[in-house]
């Protein structure tokens, strides 16, 4: 089992807002799927026009053309639109530069990693670096004397700054190389200046600055140390996270109210990224998780109904489809980049609400990740190992403290309280997909941004559940395991979610696959917590076996095997006429064992299978032990010993995680030999 962690070797990037993975590779497929092919060439030509109005038109046209249209975006990429727009960032006309920055920002948001990587490789950071002092200068002038600031100051502050900061945020998630380059710019004072002056500025660039800070301080000591070095920064972030505000009665201010919530959530995330806070800081006495994170974030994730949101989004999409569309891209008239229909504005607001929920879940996943990183001690260092053991004991206490912090729901008058963390009901609701949650098979969603946000919420909620139940499985709590009804509810809800997701993992279905990879881990952990009280249906066991056989990922196979191992330890299996079902599990696990010359699965999977068989049949007095005798397992286990030894010898200690895997392999090997001897002695 393993908690959800971000990869350190590559910065994570949020999934593409408008993905194109459902399209076959190549420009030919994009051309056949796009209805705007003929508009591409005029845009590229006008991007280099000597007439500034033509250049501005071309930049705006890019934003309009790519809206929810991955095939056209790909065609524009093929014509080097990224390079052309970066060139326009040094345009002699300010209006052209502003529109180019907006188009690049939209490409970043919609296109994700590939677009961002292309921008970085084409040296977008060079012009972006020059914008930082210019924006800072205008910001200072505006704050000191708003009435004397140039007429274009507001647009420069509210549009250009927002777009430039958002682009930097996206680029920082592209790669460690890009992150290092952005670290060298020393953005923290620039970004914090927006948060410090938030009461005097429009909320949009302030939220953009907070989002960029949140990403930069995530697993990045350079940025985190910069924020922690200034007590004023920490005080500002705490003030925002702990602030309260009354929602406006003015419907026109609804968007600002939502952004205020987002700003508070982002500030709490930044604080968690930089924790532990400096000891000399007054804020160091605050329990961030208990006093800030949970009181702020739990209401956020409980505030949204995904079925209602999806239903409203679909209705708005249908309304847009039935409305006569205004001609927004005319070669005779300059298009307006800010012209949006009422339905489009509401769709954006729905998406913004969903993204805030996703953000809250992402932070809560960290709150629930209570386990320490795997030990990296030197092998053979007894003192270090003893220290690790002491640390593990301390961490067990920390785990239970954290579970207590997460809260519980008590049934009044009940002798045994329901101690499931109070986050669980909301999370179980948020993992349930609806009609817009995932892209249709080999097609695009009716509204890709909504689909992207919904699928991200489902996955983040599942990751949060993964960490909660991993903690409970690792540090057993008798009160939790005694709540058999609570266990069955979680089990059934997770299966209901995965059943709706389905197992079609073709082009464009990467998010469905990711949902299963995390979800099967939750199933394993739930099965561990309620081992012996959970019974699975024949269909569920068949699905786990099929997933294990069909997966190329060793970690996913291990999770499937772990879940099956727990399900096979159900004492009532014989009396409930499930003996044949559990015989299926036993036979499947036996198939995963190696021979002296070959192995049907990877090392981690075969070790998990061998360990599972040992655990299942370590007590010959249990009813299901009949499977061991009737299936003739002992000779098969004996024949697997040499293959297990060979697999363990082949583990490379120098690879990441190699030491831990080698240690586990040696333990399983020794246990297998001892188990075989034990069963032989039984006769």
């Amino acid at each position: 089992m393993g908690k959800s962690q971000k990869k350190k070797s590559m910065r994570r990037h949020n999934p593409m807002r408008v993905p194109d993975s459902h399209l076959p590779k190549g420009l030919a497929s994009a051309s056949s799927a796009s209805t705007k092919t003929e508009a591409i060439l005029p845009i590229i030509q006008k991007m280099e026009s000597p007439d500034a109005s033509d250049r501005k038109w071309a930049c705006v046209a890019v934003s309009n053309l790519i809206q929810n249209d991955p095939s056209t975006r790909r065609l524009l990429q093929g014509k080097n639109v990224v390079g052309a727009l970066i060139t326009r960032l040094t345009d002699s006309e300010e209006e052209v530069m502003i529109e180019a920055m907006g188009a690049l920002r939209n490409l970043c948001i919609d296109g994700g990693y590939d677009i961002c990587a292309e921008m970085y490789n084409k040296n977008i950071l060079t012009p972006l670096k020059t914008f930082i002092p210019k924006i800072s200068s205008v910001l200072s002038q505006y704050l000191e004397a708003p009435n004397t600031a140039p007429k274009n100051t507001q647009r420069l502050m509210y549009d250009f700054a927002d777009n430039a900061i958002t682009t930097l945020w996206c680029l920082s998630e592209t790669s460690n190389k890009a992150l290092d380059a952005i670290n060298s710019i020393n953005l923290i004072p620039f970004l914090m200046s927006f948060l410090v002056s938030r009461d005097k500025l429009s909320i949009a660039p302030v939220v953009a600055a907070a989002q960029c800070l949140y990403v930069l301080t995530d697993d990045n000591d350079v940025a985190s140390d910069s924020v922690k070095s200034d007590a004023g920064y920490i005080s500002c972030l705490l003030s925002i996270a702990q602030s309260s505000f009354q929602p406006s009665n003015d419907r026109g201010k609804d968007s600002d109210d939502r952004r205020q919530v987002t700003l508070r959530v982002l500030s709490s995330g930044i604080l968690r990224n930089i924790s532990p806070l400096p000891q000399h800081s007054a804020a160091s006495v605050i329990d961030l998780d208990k006093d800030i994170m949970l009181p702020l974030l739990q209401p956020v994730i409980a505030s949204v109904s995904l079925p209602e949101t999806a239903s409203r989004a679909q209705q708005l999409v249908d309304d847009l489809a039935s409305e006569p569309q205004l001609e927004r891209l005319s070669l005779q008239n300059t298009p307006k980049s800010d012209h949006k229909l009422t339905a489009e504005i509401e769709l954006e607001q729905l998406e913004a609400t969903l993204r805030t929920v996703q953000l809250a879940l992402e932070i809560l996943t960290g709150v629930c990740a209570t386990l320490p990183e795997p030990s990296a001690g030197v092998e053979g260092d007894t003192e270090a190992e003893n220290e690790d053991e002491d640390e593990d004991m301390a961490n067990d206490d920390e785990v239970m403290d954290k579970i207590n912090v997460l809260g519980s729901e008590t049934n009044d008058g009940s002798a045994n309280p329901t101690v499931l963390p109070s986050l669980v009901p909301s999370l179980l609701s948020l993992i349930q997909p609806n009609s817009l949650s995932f892209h249709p098979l080999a097609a695009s969603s009716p509204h890709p941004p909504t689909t992207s946000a919904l699928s991200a919420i489902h996955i983040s909620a599942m990751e949060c559940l993964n960490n909660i139940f991993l903690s409970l499985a690792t540090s057993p709590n008798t009160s939790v395991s005694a709540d058999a009804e609570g266990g069955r509810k979680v089990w059934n809800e997770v299966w209901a979610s995965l059943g709706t997701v389905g197992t079609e993992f073709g082009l464009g279905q990467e998010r469905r696959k990711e949902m299963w990879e995390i979800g099967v881990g939750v199933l394993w952990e739930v099965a561990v917590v309620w081992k012996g009280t959970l019974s699975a249906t024949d269909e569920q066991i068949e699905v786990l076996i099929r997933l294990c056989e069909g997966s190329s990922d060793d970690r996913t196979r291990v999770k499937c095997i772990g879940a099956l191992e727990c399900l096979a330890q159900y004492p009532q299996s014989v009396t409930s006429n499930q003996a044949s079902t559990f015989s299926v599990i036993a036979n499947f696990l036996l198939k995963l064992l190696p021979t002296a010359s070959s192995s049907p699965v990877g090392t981690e999977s075969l070790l998990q299978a061998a360990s599972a068989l040992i655990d299942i049949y370590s007590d010959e007095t249990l009813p299901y032990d009949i499977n061991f005798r009737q299936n003739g397992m002992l000779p098969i286990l004996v024949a697997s010993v040499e293959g297990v030894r060979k697999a363990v010898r082949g583990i490379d200690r120098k690879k990441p995680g190699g030491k831990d895997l080698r240690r586990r392999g040696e333990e399983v090997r020794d246990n297998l030999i001892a188990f075989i001897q034990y069963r032989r002695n039984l006769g």
Side-chain angles (χ1 to χ4, degrees):
M1 287 180 284
K3 63 183 174 181
S4 296
Q5 299 180 35
K6 302 178 184 70
K7 297 179 181 178
K8 290 186 171 65
S9 58
M10 175 66 72
R11 299 293 296 178
R12 59 174 173 75
H13 189 91
N14 289 332
M16 294 166 66
R17 181 172 178 264
V18 185
D20 62 358
S21 55
H22 62 283
L23 297 170
K25 292 184 178 180
L27 294 178
S29 62
S31 181
S32 62
S34 174
T35 60
K36 305 167 186 173
T37 305
E38 294 181 358
I40 302 295
L41 186 58
I43 289 175
I44 299 301
Q45 290 174 337
K46 286 182 176 289
M47 196 79 73
E48 304 294 335
S49 171
D51 187 338
S53 63
D54 282 348
R55 299 197 301 274
K56 177 184 174 183
W57 175 92
C59 295
V60 175
V62 171
S63 292
N64 288 335
L65 234 62
I66 66 169
Q67 188 174 19
N68 297 339
D69 191 342
S71 56
T72 301
R73 185 184 70 231
R74 189 186 288 184
L75 288 177
L76 282 165
Q77 270 186 276
K79 297 295 184 180
N80 191 31
V81 71
V82 169
L85 286 169
I86 291 175
T87 300
R88 296 279 68 80
L89 291 181
T90 54
D91 199 278
S92 57
E93 292 292 330
E94 189 174 77
E95 288 291 318
V96 176
M97 181 184 67
I98 290 173
E99 295 297 351
M101 190 72 259
L104 286 164
R105 178 259 189 200
N106 291 340
L107 282 168
C108 277
I109 292 291
D110 278 8
Y113 172 80
D114 288 339
I115 289 271
C116 291
E118 183 182 352
M119 289 183 188
Y120 175 76
N121 291 333
K122 291 182 175 176
N123 205 24
I124 191 176
L125 284 180
T126 295
L128 280 179
K129 288 178 185 178
T130 67
F131 297 150
I132 306 304
K134 292 179 181 178
I135 296 173
S136 294
S137 175
V138 174
L139 175 61
S140 298
Q141 183 179 0
Y142 178 78
L143 292 174
E144 290 173 6
N147 295 331
T148 62
K151 292 182 178 179
N152 68 341
T153 296
Q154 189 169 27
R155 186 176 184 200
L156 182 64
M157 287 297 307
Y158 297 167
D159 292 345
F160 188 77
D162 185 350
N163 291 334
I165 292 170
T166 301
T167 303
L168 285 165
W169 145 40
C170 292
L171 289 170
S172 70
E173 292 189 307
T174 302
S175 67
N176 284 328
K177 185 185 294 186
L179 179 64
D180 290 342
I182 291 173
N183 278 338
S184 68
I185 303 175
N186 189 24
L187 279 178
I188 303 305
F190 169 72
L191 297 172
M192 282 301 308
S193 67
F194 284 88
L195 273 64
V196 170
S197 305
R198 61 192 179 280
D199 293 336
K200 301 176 182 178
L201 299 172
S202 166
I203 186 66
V206 177
V207 170
Q211 178 70 70
C212 194
L213 274 166
Y214 172 67
V215 170
L216 284 176
T217 54
D218 179 18
D219 192 23
N220 178 19
D221 290 341
V222 174
S224 294
D225 291 345
S226 180
V227 175
K228 287 195 287 187
S229 67
D230 192 314
Y233 293 168
I234 296 175
S235 177
C236 173
L237 291 166
L238 277 171
S239 176
I240 296 172
Q242 294 177 314
S243 65
S244 60
F245 69 96
Q246 295 298 321
S248 171
N249 293 324
D250 182 358
R251 288 185 59 85
K253 294 292 184 180
D254 284 353
S255 179
D256 283 357
D257 288 346
R258 278 187 289 272
R259 284 171 169 168
Q260 289 287 355
V261 174
T262 303
L263 179 60
R264 294 179 67 206
V265 172
L266 284 166
S267 296
S268 72
I270 297 166
L271 287 168
R272 196 163 207 289
N273 285 346
I274 67 173
S275 64
L277 301 180
Q279 291 187 354
H280 62 270
S281 167
S284 62
V285 299
I286 296 175
D287 186 329
L288 287 178
D289 290 345
K290 182 179 180 181
D291 298 332
I292 293 181
M293 305 298 160
L294 288 163
L296 170 59
L297 302 180
Q298 192 163 354
V300 171
I301 69 168
S303 66
V304 65
S305 168
L306 297 189
E308 291 180 7
T309 302
S311 176
R312 180 56 182 160
Q314 184 64 65
Q315 182 182 347
L316 291 167
V317 170
D318 293 341
D319 290 346
L320 283 173
S322 63
E323 267 189 33
Q325 293 295 299
L326 297 174
E327 182 60 48
R328 301 187 195 177
L329 186 63
S330 167
L331 295 180
Q332 286 75 39
N333 300 301
T334 301
K336 293 184 179 296
S337 59
D338 57 352
H339 176 76
K340 291 174 183 174
L341 301 175
T342 303
E344 291 176 315
I345 294 172
E346 188 174 347
L347 279 169
E348 287 185 356
Q349 292 172 345
L350 289 176
E351 183 192 355
T353 299
L354 293 175
R355 291 297 182 188
T356 301
V357 173
Q358 177 203 348
L359 174 65
L361 287 168
E362 185 176 296
I363 298 168
L364 283 171
T365 297
V367 172
C368 297
T370 56
L371 298 181
E373 297 286 350
S375 171
V378 178
E379 289 187 68
D381 188 339
T382 305
E383 182 178 351
E385 290 177 1
N386 290 337
E387 289 176 359
D388 287 343
E389 290 177 6
D390 293 340
E391 183 179 348
D392 289 342
M393 293 176 65
N395 279 313
D396 284 343
D397 294 336
E398 180 185 342
V399 167
M400 294 320 301
D401 288 343
K402 187 63 67 67
I403 291 297
N404 292 334
V405 167
L406 291 175
S408 62
E409 297 173 357
T410 303
N411 298 325
D412 293 337
S414 171
N416 293 318
T418 299
V419 294
L420 284 178
S422 56
L423 286 175
V424 170
S426 293
L427 295 173
L428 291 176
S429 175
L430 293 175
I431 64 172
Q432 303 303 328
N434 53 64
S435 59
L436 284 181
S437 292
F438 297 96
H439 290 273
L441 301 179
S444 183
S445 162
H447 192 251
T450 298
T451 292
S452 174
L454 285 169
S455 60
I457 286 175
H458 299 320
I459 288 170
S460 295
M462 193 70 85
E463 287 177 332
C464 214
L465 285 171
N466 177 76
N467 283 350
I468 288 175
F469 288 106
L470 176 59
S471 299
L472 289 168
T474 307
S475 298
N477 182 301
T478 54
S479 298
V480 174
S481 57
D483 182 14
E485 182 179 349
R488 284 191 292 272
K489 175 177 174 57
V490 174
W491 177 262
N492 291 334
E493 291 285 340
V494 174
W495 270 109
S497 166
L498 295 175
T500 305
V501 171
T503 55
E504 296 284 348
F505 301 149
L507 287 174
Q509 304 307 317
E510 296 81 7
R511 302 297 271 167
R512 293 181 193 263
K513 183 179 180 182
E514 190 175 355
M515 189 77 167
W516 267 98
E517 289 172 346
I518 301 168
V520 74
V522 178
L523 291 174
W524 181 12
E525 292 143 12
V526 171
V528 169
V529 174
W530 286 281
K531 186 188 296 184
T533 64
L534 279 179
S535 63
T537 66
D538 291 351
E539 181 183 5
Q540 289 170 348
I541 289 173
E542 181 183 346
V543 169
L544 287 172
I545 289 175
R546 282 205 316 267
L547 183 63
C548 186
E549 290 177 329
S551 178
S552 59
D553 179 39
D554 217 23
R555 291 171 299 177
T556 300
R557 291 196 294 263
V558 166
K559 294 174 186 177
C560 293
I561 296 166
L564 290 167
E565 170 192 341
C566 297
L567 295 173
Q569 298 178 62
Y570 183 59
Q572 288 75 40
S573 60
V574 176
T575 57
S576 62
N577 296 320
Q578 288 186 300
S580 60
T581 297
F582 291 90
S583 179
V584 168
I585 295 177
N587 288 331
F588 173 68
L589 294 176
L590 288 171
K591 284 168 52 180
L592 301 179
L593 295 179
T595 64
S597 58
S598 64
S599 174
V601 291
T603 300
E604 290 187 65
S605 296
L606 74 87
L607 291 175
Q608 188 67 41
S611 177
L613 287 164
I614 295 169
D615 288 346
I616 294 168
Y617 298 108
S618 59
D619 186 347
E620 73 280 3
T621 65
L622 291 171
Y624 50 76
D625 192 70
I626 189 173
N627 287 327
F628 189 90
R629 300 186 295 274
Q630 290 183 346
N631 292 356
M633 294 187 186
L634 188 56
I636 301 174
L637 289 171
V638 171
S640 72
V641 171
E642 186 54 39
V644 171
R645 283 177 172 151
K646 183 178 179 180
V648 172
R649 286 196 301 268
I651 297 172
D652 187 351
R653 289 189 179 94
K654 296 180 181 179
K655 289 185 177 180
K659 290 181 181 179
D660 289 331
L661 183 59
R662 180 64 179 262
R663 189 180 299 116
R664 168 156 169 74
E666 291 170 349
E667 179 185 356
V668 171
R669 177 201 62 199
D670 295 345
N671 288 345
L672 177 61
I673 294 171
F675 177 72
I676 290 171
Q677 187 60 47
Y678 170 74
R679 296 300 305 209
R680 278 175 170 165
N681 293 339
L682 289 176

